[in-house]
Amino acid sequence: MSRLLLLSSSRSGSTGYLDHAQPLIADFLGDNPKPVKRVLFIPFAGVGKTFDIYLEQVRPTFDAQGLEVEGIHQAADPKAAVRDAEAIVVGGGNTFALVKRLYDADLLDTIRQCVANGTPYIGWSAGSNIAGPTLCTTNDMPIVEPPSFSTLALVPFQINPHFIAGKPEGHNGESREERLEEYLALNPHALVVALREGTALSREGHSLRLLGELDGLTFSANGQQALAANSRLDHLLTPY
Amino acid sequence: MSRLLLLSSSRSGSTGYLDHAQPLIADFLGDNPKPVKRVLFIPFAGVGKTFDIYLEQVRPTFDAQGLEVEGIHQAADPKAAVRDAEAIVVGGGNTFALVKRLYDADLLDTIRQCVANGTPYIGWSAGSNIAGPTLCTTNDMPIVEPPSFSTLALVPFQINPHFIAGKPEGHNGESREERLEEYLALNPHALVVALREGTALSREGHSLRLLGELDGLTFSANGQQALAANSRLDHLLTPY
């Protein structure tokens, strides 16, 4: 049974790093059928900081819950580290860097299999984006070229993290809504779940829920639909 | 001798579509050694509108200069249309869609050769972005997967169109500067020229100039540098 916690962002408004995420992570791991004492952190989305520094940045969040954290970059055998993980945690940063490094280390299939077999998966930002079938609804700059845009497909819909409506005044770039409409123009059968900062999806097998204080949105060829805060979204897991 | 006019955007502030571009295009084509009567428009970046509609959207700008416009999508032989073009015009939209469609039609080499042989090239937004060696500094969402991130390399540096400093308040996405710093962290030998809306680069062989009322910026491993409005930038064309 797949268990996923997909957070939009590492911060909510002006709160500290992973502050809003900590209770959600504690609940999610606390509910796991097998007790979790140790998590595997995948820092591959990190750019402009070392993986060690990124690991230290997330450690306090897990420390506070009495959890050990291992960085996959320190593992002698990264695939074995994924297979042995009690929980997989994929941090945010740049989605293209994350996907390229996951392909370079040939880890996508292993992660997919472990999650299918019940290893809980936690992601935020880029780490949530790659839980969809492709990276096509990332907000990130394509700073490196991954071998493919295909990602983990742990859920059957696309995820757009850090969702924000509208655009800065006086600038002629597209709004987020316009970008997602463009995605749908070329991918008319897709469904996109847009997650505002501070919100998250949690999946427990066939059950899906929106967490957090804000509503969410879906985008599809049928238009936009609001997702109520804290509502059940199981229907998004069935083929559409 | 390569002749390029690379506009940041189709609009400057709240002006109308291509309004600010029209005098720049008129000057650029007016200076061409061979008189230009007819331009070839490549609408492949357009998404959510037909290529015909996009062609009609740009036609008035060229009409006003007594120029005919042909859409490459209406050409029986698109490669021949590029080879026969008196000027090549690549409009904005989504960079990934543009690059995928250029690869699908196998047009990159043909465009590159024609520009090397003197066919003037005009681009805005995505059409300027692809004048660099890769699409890696686009701002666009990766809504489709092109076979490669390599683009035309009509200039030796990356272009970031629609440059805007900072980020919306209360949101935790990256600023444009942070995005470009991330690009440089993984591509430390690259140079990025950031073009504010309303500005453009014009290249005449070994001469390069920033056009428009605003300054520009370069980003490299050595940090940011301002480019004065209307300054000569020939040094950016030499290997660094």
Side-chain angles (χ1 to χ4, degrees), chain A residues 139 143 162 172 179 187 197, chain B residues 139 143 172 179 187 197:
Chain A
N139 309 306
I143 59 175
H162 294 278
N172 294 303
R179 289 169 182 260
N187 301 274
E197 295 192 341
Chain B
N139 309 307
I143 59 173
N172 294 301
R179 288 169 184 261
N187 302 274
E197 294 191 344

Side-chain angles (χ1 to χ4, degrees), chain A residues 132-144:
Chain A
T134 76
L135 62 66
C136 290
T137 51
T138 180
N139 309 306
D140 295 340
M141 189 170 267
I143 59 175
V144 286

Side-chain angles (χ1 to χ4, degrees), chain B residues 4-9 20-21 24 123 128 193 195-203 208-214 230-231 233:
Chain B
L4 313 173
L5 177 64
L6 306 175
L7 299 134
S8 175
S9 53
H20 82 285
L24 298 176
S128 293
V193 175
L195 295 175
R196 295 184 205 272
E197 294 191 344
T199 68
L201 293 173
S202 77
R203 176 176 187 170
L208 187 74
R209 186 179 282 279
L210 180 64
L211 304 180
E213 288 167 20
L214 300 176
N230 274 302
S231 60
L233 305 172

